[in-house]
Amino acid sequence: MPFCRIEVIDHVAIVTLEHATMPPAFFAELTSTMQEVSEHPDVRAVLLKSQAKAFSYGLDLPAAFNELGPHLTSGGTAGPRMQLLALIRKLQGAFNAVSACPVPVVAAIHGWCIGGGLDLAAACDIRLCTADARFSLRETKIAMVADLGSLQRLPPIIGQGHTRELAFTGKDVPATRAREIGLVNDVFSDVEALLAGARALCSEIAANPPLAVRGVKQVLGYGEGKTVAEGLEYVAAWNSAFLASEDLGEALSSFMEKRPPRYSGR
């Protein structure tokens, strides 16, 4: 059964999750989906949403334990341990593909966003949600250490203190608290308003010069964990290489001619 669906409208790729849980097969399909989106020449922003009852309940535990069971028994030799390590890295690769998408990814979250769902949301650039959204870094409650990205990606988003509180407790966080701590940028009344807001945001991003937007994401990504001096050196080199473009000329021409710009991505 399919897990993801792609639709490209006006330079925005809408990636729809078809189900609220994540069986092992989901991760391979998400990886290929994000690779397809990343290589699409007309895509300037991505809207990630779910058509299910909730954004995501996280890992499909029965399906996961059916596949992982042989690796989770106590004891064992180095061989099964290495196999489990390889499997975890494969699952991590799906959310890495979201994070590595060269254009901004906006997550539209409704209902529950638990465990793997939060890992996925954290891999996106911007998160929006409905007023009924609930977030939980739930793995600790089921005797696991979250290993798909939340512990690494959340600290730069919400800080160490909030990340540790969520991870140590596994508590449920309502939308209002999620906005207070910076986990989401905005909260909408319902799904219809959420999707309208997310589409508007993606359209606003897509209206900008696409090479410049990609450059901003690249520079921001490089700067994580670096000093200000290192970040400045990188962006200086980036602009020295990529500042000159047809879009830069179009930006100047449209300003002088007092008309809306028409960016081509060249």
Side-chain angles (χ1 to χ4, degrees), residues 2-214:
F3 297 102
C4 305
R5 176 164 40 90
I6 306 173
E7 184 180 16
V8 179
I9 303 175
D10 296 331
H11 300 294
V12 176
I14 302 173
V15 177
T16 302
L17 307 181
E18 301 281 7
H19 309 281
T21 57
M22 300 174 173
F26 162 82
F27 293 89
E29 185 167 325
L30 179 63
T31 300
S32 62
T33 295
M34 293 310 302
Q35 289 173 342
E36 179 180 344
V37 167
S38 296
E39 295 168 2
H40 198 298
D42 295 328
V43 170
R44 301 182 182 182
V46 177
L47 169 56
L48 179 65
K49 65 183 184 71
S50 172
Q51 73 164 12
K53 183 178 180 180
F55 179 74
S56 179
Y57 297 122
L59 197 63
D60 184 330
L61 291 177
F65 279 106
N66 183 56
E67 181 166 329
L68 298 176
H71 305 293
L72 298 178
T73 55
S74 60
T77 61
R81 303 302 95 197
M82 291 298 292
Q83 291 172 0
L84 179 57
L85 176 62
L87 179 57
I88 292 172
R89 286 175 172 168
K90 182 178 179 180
L91 301 185
Q92 290 173 341
F95 298 153
N96 289 345
V98 175
S99 178
C101 182
V103 301
V105 181
V106 177
I109 301 162
H110 70 280
W112 286 101
C113 180
I114 302 173
L118 186 53
D119 291 313
L120 174 56
C124 298
D125 296 282
I126 300 170
R127 288 151 296 281
L128 310 174
C129 75
T130 54
D132 69 347
R134 297 292 183 272
F135 302 84
S136 179
L137 188 51
R138 188 68 62 84
E139 284 83 350
T140 305
K141 286 187 174 294
I142 57 171
M144 294 175 62
V145 176
D147 58 5
L148 299 184
S150 284
L151 299 183
Q152 292 70 40
R153 293 190 172 101
L154 285 180
I157 298 170
I158 64 176
Q160 282 284 351
H162 293 308
T163 300
R164 289 168 187 261
E165 180 181 350
L166 294 183
F168 293 153
T169 65
K171 64 168 48 175
D172 300 333
V173 176
T176 51
R177 181 60 176 162
R179 180 167 54 186
E180 287 174 359
I181 64 177
L183 181 56
V184 299
N185 287 29
D186 208 349
V187 178
F188 295 84
S189 58
D190 53 32
V191 173
E192 183 177 358
L194 169 68
L195 294 180
R199 289 192 184 101
L201 178 57
C202 287
S203 295
E204 188 176 358
I205 293 170
N208 283 326
L211 297 181
V213 172
R214 287 175 178 242

